[in-house]
Amino acid sequence: MTPSNMMKILVINTGSSSIKYQLFDMTAHTVLAHGLVERIGEAGSRLTHYDQKHNNAERIIETAIPNHERGLSELVQLLQEDARDGDEEESPVQAIGHRVVHGGEAFHEPTLIGEKVIQAIEEYIPLAPLHNPPNLIGIRAAATHFPGIPQVAVFDTAFHQSIPAHAYRYAIPKEYYESLKIRRYGFHGTSHQYVARQAANFLKKKSLSELNAITIHLGNGCSMTAIQNGKSIDTSMGMTPLEGLIMGTRCGDVDPALHGYLLANQDQSHMKSIQDVDKVLNKESGLKGLTGTNDMRDVFRLRDEGNEDAALAVEMYAYRIKKYIGAYFAALGGKLDAIIFTAGVGENAAPLRELALANLEPFGIVVDADKNNSARKMEGPVVEFQAASSKINLFVIPTNEELEIATQTVQVVNSLTP
Ligand SMILES: Nc1ncnc2c1ncn2[C@@H]1O[C@H](COP(=O)(O)OP(=O)(O)O)[C@@H](O)[C@H]1O
Ligand SMILES: CC(=O)OP(=O)(O)O
Ligand SMILES: [Mg+2]
């Protein structure tokens, strides 16, 4: 394969009950098709597909999708139909990029998938039981549908492999790091790296390696990263995506002693096993546990209606971010070009950004309230909302993990060409 015909890249992001996908034409810099398979294995499963050939009109296919294999074959069928509708004589796809959440210490770079890589992703299942198994199903199903097409794994953990030991080790007996590889890995690396690169370009840096920043990814999962000279030096998620910020359904930082306490008090906690504790902290906590909903839009609506739980949840969520800003400001020695907000909440929730950054003027962080409130309506890859007196740039940068995965997939495949 030569770079000139390396153009159509399918990116697959397989979650526990959903598959997100995008088909890019990397030569023309366009999205040919994208969509979402949701509620896999549940009632009401469906595929929502958009493609350029149908003017990006929404097509909803409501059909029983009992497993990820079926979801993949439905979406492949649509892509093949689109290709047949056109004049294309070849496969609709030249390479496939997969989001893989946990790559442990093995992967610092995007990697061509072969048997060894699949084995390694299997080995990390205990560290990401919700994420790695569906990622593997996506990889296997894609290999069946597109035999001989190169497949590349892009790991959430890869960008964070530059974190030094003093930040990634936990202060527990050393043997558990050596035998069980218990340490901070960090996640959402593809997103942190993508928005950091956008900021570096915007600030006219020669390369990402000239950027110092704090990146704040607030989606369903939430994490923050301290970036020094373009490299991750610390991040808020840990061995698993549970540590750190308050999230949609995850608690983030808690006293590790509460696990034992909940189990020791089964009568009140109704938790009988460590799996029960795990489930509550991962799926029933965060905004959902505090307010009943994991959607920040609903939390704000409840707050505005006078709901006190929702008001407290917003305060807690913003305060946790502020604490990490303080920590990473210190970790970076106060030398940073920008604080960057991204993902669903980070890009859309102006009041949240304002709360998280309030009263930080002594740090040189000053918000322009009008710019912050109108950030959503502004065009462009980077929207600034710092006041003129702010020493540190404040940016909203929409993330695009799929485009970053496609870009890294092209790099890997091109590097294979003699
Ligand atoms: N206008 C908005 N105001 C506040 N929160 C929003 C808004 N739009 C989207 N969100 C939040 O973004 C979250 C999803 O973020 P997203 O980055 O799409 O998540 P993920 O990719 O992790 O599924 C939703 O749960 C919702 O709370
Ligand atoms: C790793 C992680 O938390 O991913 P997501 O935000 O997609 O759940
Ligand atoms: Mg996301």
Side-chain angles (χ1 to χ4, degrees), residues 370-401:
D370 289 339
K371 283 187 187 162
N372 182 42
N373 287 326
S374 56
R376 191 64 202 143
K377 295 184 213 96
M378 308 298 281
E379 290 290 322
V382 176
V383 176
E384 300 173 87
F385 66 98
Q386 73 280 355
S389 59
S390 189
K391 290 201 182 70
I392 294 169
N393 292 298
L394 304 175
F395 294 154
V396 175
I397 304 184
T399 193
N400 195 338
E401 288 157 290

Side-chain angles (χ1 to χ4, degrees), residues 13 20 99 101 131 156 187-188 217 219-222 237 241 247 250 401:
N13 180 351
K20 292 183 194 162
R99 178 185 182 205
V101 165
H131 290 92
D156 259 45
F187 301 89
H188 296 137
H217 175 110
N220 273 310
C222 302
M237 281 180 168
M247 315 184 202
R250 292 171 238 169
E401 288 157 290

